[in-house]
Amino acid sequence: MRGDHQSLALLLFSAFVAVTLGITTWVSRHRHGSAEEFYTGGRLFSPMENGFAIAGDYMSAASFLGISGLIALFGYDGMLYSVGFLVAWLVVLLLVAELVRNCGRFTLADVVAARMRERPVRIAAGTSSVAVSVLYLVAQMVGAGSLVALLLGGTSEAARAWTVIGVGALMVVYVTLGGMRATTWIQIVKAVLLMAGTLALTVLVLLRFHGDFDALLTTAAERSGHGKEFLAPGLAYGGGWTARFDFMSLGLALVLGTAGLPHILSRFYTVPTARAARRSVVWAIGLIGGFYLMTIVLGFGAAALVGTDEVRASSAAGNTAVPLLALDLGGGAGSTGGTVLFAVVAAVAFATILAVVAGITLASSASVAHDLYASLKRPGRGRKPRGEVAVARLAAAGIGGVAIALGLLARDLNVAFLVGLAFAVAASANLPVLLYSLFWRNFTTRGAVWSVYGGLVPAVLLVVFSPVVSGSPEAIFPGADFQVFPLQNPGLVSIPLGFLAGWLGTVLSRERADEARHAESEVRSLTGAGAV
């Protein structure tokens, strides 16, 4: 049975890889080699295409498998993850999308540098963007090593290692050869596959219960072992004050972090106008909203049909809930339908990981080349787009190597923790400087630099001294105990610190804000006049 799963899943995944490599090869033959082509795909994508690409970039394996697993294990409390991930897009739609498209060119630092001294701001914002991207990337690589190897039946250390290496090599090929245009089409294909697969499983779950959602919830509660408590708040976060503050911290990071994710912000530059960027977000919200609604059905369906105990026995984190549900919906172990559905889930998981890591790698390589390299190279040399693109390609290969190495070293870490940390760092370091730059007239260069480092450094330090790293049996280093900070996610503390540092840096700065550049930036952000 496992051999059937593995062979069919590998066949489907090989077909996806062949199609995406074909797209990449075709794009590489028609590219112009310019920075605009490599970073933004020539800004030629329609709002619908970009909306699908944004959805493909955002809906990671953690969303497809992780959230459904959390719902299968914790019921109502797991469902709140879906709400947090979706509500975050309202912040993006209302505060960020159009303004970032008008003010920036390729990266987050472009928006801030429009009215500040470029060098310190670009170094700070570029460093933060790379840090967030690498954290997010490592999470995907760890998922590739553990989750995908498990789906394909290879749980040995060698199988996991080769999976990480293979995914890393593919993402470097996608980015270095195809740039944003190839990455976008890969994300569009992946989004269609993911939505189709999720919709098919959702329909099958609802048909099993004859469309009666109440019966689905009742059965899930009965098979969870917790009864009605499964459908009420408190199963995962109903402990002491620490658990409740942890939930608040995670929720704050998820809701605010999306607007600071570099690979999401870079997608707004791939459309020709700010209006198109806003329409892209509307498309993305529709797709992502529908997807997260379906993950709720899949999570409760796994609890009802597979059983919470069986899900936990297969994976303590619940990551195999959807594959087990697919096996049951297809007819159970030994059935042809079960084998096909299981293999489809495995192939979609592969496609999801590849598309997400390609987008993150492109965003981080853009920050290295456009922000760090352009700021640190010797003065007196003009910025050469072709040279910058070459650096970006080299950076993609370097970041891919770092991600592979860290993915191998961190393969036993919790993927959800790494993703939550990436969101917390993005919300702490990137979002404050972005909002201050867009909306605060008196914001200065020192305020911008302090805002970035004032959120980035505390976020990382608080995690190092949290129970996730030491002081508990589930910690990374269970034998050590240098825990000082009681929460697992730093967002509740580090996000306010990022805003506070930006304010302090501005009010304590002797530099006065450039009124003319602020006025120009404000007009540009609101009207699009002068936008690239």
Side-chain angles (χ1 to χ4, degrees):
M1 182 63 183
R2 174 173 287 185
D4 292 340
H5 290 165
Q6 188 172 7
S7 299
L8 188 54
L10 284 173
L11 180 63
L12 292 173
F13 176 62
S14 298
F16 175 79
V17 171
V19 170
T20 52
L21 285 176
I23 292 172
T24 303
T25 303
W26 181 81
V27 168
S28 67
R29 292 177 178 175
H30 293 79
R31 71 179 185 221
H32 305 296
S34 66
E36 187 170 344
E37 174 73 21
F38 183 79
Y39 294 140
T40 67
R43 309 185 198 278
L44 298 175
F45 292 102
S46 69
M48 184 182 74
E49 291 169 344
N50 197 42
F52 269 85
I54 290 173
D57 222 353
Y58 192 70
M59 298 183 300
S60 66
S63 299
F64 179 46
L65 301 168
I67 292 179
S68 298
L70 287 169
I71 295 172
L73 296 180
F74 301 111
Y76 179 92
D77 280 12
M79 186 177 67
L80 293 177
Y81 273 79
S82 297
V83 177
F85 278 121
L86 179 58
V87 169
W89 280 97
L90 296 178
V91 178
V92 177
L93 177 65
L94 297 176
L95 296 179
V96 172
E98 287 186 86
L99 304 183
V100 166
R101 173 61 189 85
N102 282 337
C103 283
R105 188 183 178 200
F106 300 136
T107 64
L108 164 69
D110 288 335
V111 180
V112 185
R115 48 176 294 209
M116 310 288 178
R117 285 185 286 118
E118 284 204 34
R119 185 182 174 90
V121 166
R122 285 193 181 277
I123 292 174
T127 301
S128 174
S129 295
V130 171
V132 173
S133 297
V134 169
L135 284 170
Y136 211 111
L137 198 55
V138 170
Q140 302 302 316
M141 301 301 283
V142 171
S146 59
L147 179 58
V148 176
L150 177 64
L151 287 174
L152 295 182
T155 56
S156 68
E157 292 299 317
R160 296 169 68 182
W162 281 110
T163 302
V164 170
I165 293 170
V167 170
L170 280 171
M171 79 182 183
V172 171
V173 170
Y174 291 148
V175 173
T176 55
L177 290 183
M180 178 59 84
R181 187 167 296 184
T183 300
T184 298
W185 282 109
I186 291 168
Q187 289 161 345
I188 292 172
V189 172
K190 170 257 176 157
V192 172
L193 289 175
L194 183 61
M195 291 296 291
T198 308
L199 178 62
L201 291 177
T202 301
V203 170
L204 290 174
V205 169
L206 293 177
L207 286 176
R208 184 70 68 91
F209 290 92
H210 308 289
D212 189 345
F213 194 70
D214 185 59
L216 169 62
L217 295 179
T218 303
T219 307
E222 291 173 354
R223 296 206 61 189
S224 69
H226 298 285
K228 292 183 178 180
E229 294 180 2
F230 189 70
L231 304 178
L235 198 59
Y237 298 101
W241 67 271
T242 304
R244 298 184 183 188
F245 276 109
D246 245 330
F247 175 71
M248 292 169 59
S249 187
L250 179 63
L252 193 64
L254 294 181
V255 170
L256 298 180
T258 300
L261 291 175
H263 64 289
I264 296 297
L265 293 175
S266 65
R267 293 237 52 92
F268 300 137
Y269 302 127
T270 63
V271 289
T273 64
R275 183 170 180 267
R278 187 178 184 87
R279 289 174 61 197
S280 297
V281 176
V282 173
W283 272 100
I285 289 176
L287 293 168
I288 294 168
F291 170 76
Y292 282 124
L293 286 175
M294 290 189 287
T295 61
I296 295 173
V297 176
L298 297 187
F300 284 114
L305 299 176
V306 179
T308 299
D309 291 339
E310 188 171 339
V311 171
R312 185 175 283 109
S314 175
S315 170
N319 289 328
T320 56
V322 172
L324 292 174
L325 175 64
L327 193 62
D328 185 277
L329 290 171
S335 66
T336 302
T339 300
V340 171
L341 277 180
F342 188 98
V344 167
V345 167
V348 169
F350 264 127
T352 296
I353 290 171
L354 281 179
V356 172
V357 297
I360 299 168
T361 304
L362 181 60
S364 54
S365 65
S367 293
V368 170
H370 186 63
D371 299 327
L372 298 178
Y373 165 74
S375 298
L376 294 174
K377 69 179 180 179
R378 286 184 297 176
R381 294 184 178 182
R383 184 173 295 180
K384 299 178 181 179
R386 290 183 184 272
E388 192 177 290
V389 170
V391 172
R393 290 197 174 97
L394 289 174
I399 290 167
V402 170
I404 290 171
L406 292 177
L408 292 173
L409 290 173
R411 57 180 176 266
D412 294 323
L413 299 186
N414 185 277
V415 177
F417 155 68
L418 291 171
V419 171
L421 176 59
F423 272 77
V425 174
S428 304
N430 291 346
L431 185 64
V433 72
L434 181 61
L435 294 183
Y436 278 147
S437 298
L438 291 173
F439 299 109
W440 190 12
R441 179 181 299 275
N442 296 323
F443 197 44
T444 64
T445 300
R446 177 184 287 184
V449 174
W450 281 28
S451 181
V452 172
Y453 292 127
L456 176 64
V457 175
V460 175
L461 288 179
L462 289 175
V463 170
V464 170
F465 293 105
S466 74
V468 175
V469 177
S470 69
S472 68
E474 299 82 17
I476 299 170
F477 303 110
D481 188 2
F482 45 88
Q483 171 196 342
V484 177
F485 184 64
L487 305 183
Q488 295 189 13
N489 190 288
L492 196 61
V493 176
S494 60
I495 295 173
L497 284 178
F499 282 98
L500 178 62
W503 177 78
L504 281 176
T506 297
V507 298
L508 297 178
S509 174
R510 295 179 181 177
E511 169 194 8
R512 297 191 64 180
D514 190 324
E515 293 287 338
R517 293 182 70 181
H518 173 265
E520 179 185 350
S521 177
E522 187 175 39
V523 171
R524 181 175 167 183
S525 66
L526 295 175
T527 67
V532 178

